[in-house]
Amino acid sequence: MKDIVIFAGSAVGSTLSIAHQVSREYFIKTYAICLNSSYSAVYKRSRYITESIEICAETDSCLFAKFRSWTDQHAFSEPPILYATTDSSCVFINNHREWFSNNFELTTPSSRIISTYNYKGLAEFDAQLNGLCIPKTSQINEKSDILEVIEKYNFPVIIKPTSYTAKSRLGFKTKVFDRKEEFAQYFESIDIRKSSVICQEYIQGKDKEVYYYLFYRDDKGNIYENIGIKKLQSPPGAGIMAIGITKYNNIISRISREFLEKISYVGIGGIEYKKYRGEYYFIEMSTRAEGFLKICEASNVPIAKIVYQRLSGISINAEFKQIDQIEYIDIFPTLSARRIEGRYLLFLKEVIIAILSRNSCFNVLAIVDIKPFIALLGKMIKCI
């Protein structure tokens, strides 16, 4: 049986879900590799992870040399299956695609797709070219771009860093501006040439109008999908999924399948849409396992396990039909969102209901593997 290697990061739930789905069923070794990330102590506590290490370096070439050395030391008898859970690891794989393709079974899509969809601006325009609706979008490179937004865009607008490196430098995932004056003032305070952001008209609507589409598309065009609603984002309105619920949607399934076929996508991924006035607008796509992958496992579409079976040559005989009304809760982002709203009692109510419900799952907290949650809690307390 093939071992698995997971490029892990701060999205602890996705790494643990991959390990749980595969290692509980197959007698294999599971490795969590934290690239320039300090979460290895959390993964070491998992009973389903064989080894967890951190590999850090200031340059891509040094990072690659260290990972190659780690791979050589393990001398795998056959190529392990490699899962990515971070944008940076997708780009890292792409930078050394030939070597990774020769030494691992990859779950990430083609180089072109990674190069396009890990960069805001390129992603939106390519999605539109291939049939999806997108909000009005432009990149902010100079003062004239700011003036164009003020003159021609309907407010509110949202800005996003163009890549994970820009996100790290700017220190935010999204910013929403309700008024033109706020928008102009923000760009007066930063160096526009180094900002690396795109601007979009903000699609109105509550979090419950945001849909996720998680999928795996194999090299024969077979698609395994999981669809639902982001009931709460953290921060509310434009953040990561804190609470979600499975809800199949025929329209999203159809447009996503057509889109993935057009761009010849093969691998794991996730798409976010927002419904507004009867249209489903493309918000973003991930070329990796999403942080809330656990919801698939809980609703009868274990994508990580399906990928393992497909790439290991194991026959897939089961019919993976999604179970609706399975609720997912990520405790720490939910607490953060309710803290912003000042609704602490609602947070307690949500957690208690989830604990008592048979149709709920927690992202990191799992009775069969509880130590990683305790380690993550301790890590977060230290950071306060």
Side-chain angles (χ1 to χ4, degrees), residues 309-334:
Q309 292 174 330
R310 183 69 183 84
L311 296 181
S312 296
I314 300 170
S315 297
I316 301 176
N317 299 318
E319 182 181 353
F320 298 105
K321 186 176 181 181
Q322 148 178 339
I323 300 171
D324 276 352
Q325 299 303 311
I326 299 297
E327 188 164 84
Y328 156 101
I329 182 167
D330 196 344
I331 291 179
F332 301 117
T334 300

Side-chain angles (χ1 to χ4, degrees), residues 13 57 108 121 124 150 246 272 353:
T108 48
E124 287 75 10
I150 291 173
T246 55
E272 181 179 311
I353 290 174

Side-chain angles (χ1 to χ4, degrees), residues 194-226:
K194 296 180 180 179
S195 65
S196 299
V197 300
I198 66 158
C199 178
Q200 294 179 315
E201 289 186 345
Y202 183 69
I203 303 300
Q204 301 283 1
K206 297 181 179 180
D207 284 353
K208 65 181 181 179
E209 300 296 333
V210 179
Y211 288 78
Y212 72 81
Y213 180 82
L214 302 186
F215 65 90
Y216 168 59
R217 185 175 187 270
D218 68 20
D219 57 358
K220 295 182 180 179
N222 299 309
I223 293 181
Y224 305 88
E225 61 189 3
N226 188 276

Side-chain angles (χ1 to χ4, degrees), residues 10-27:
S10 59
V12 175
S14 55
T15 296
L16 292 176
S17 182
I18 293 167
H20 292 170
Q21 290 180 48
V22 182
S23 299
R24 278 188 298 196
E25 183 153 344
Y26 301 106
F27 187 68

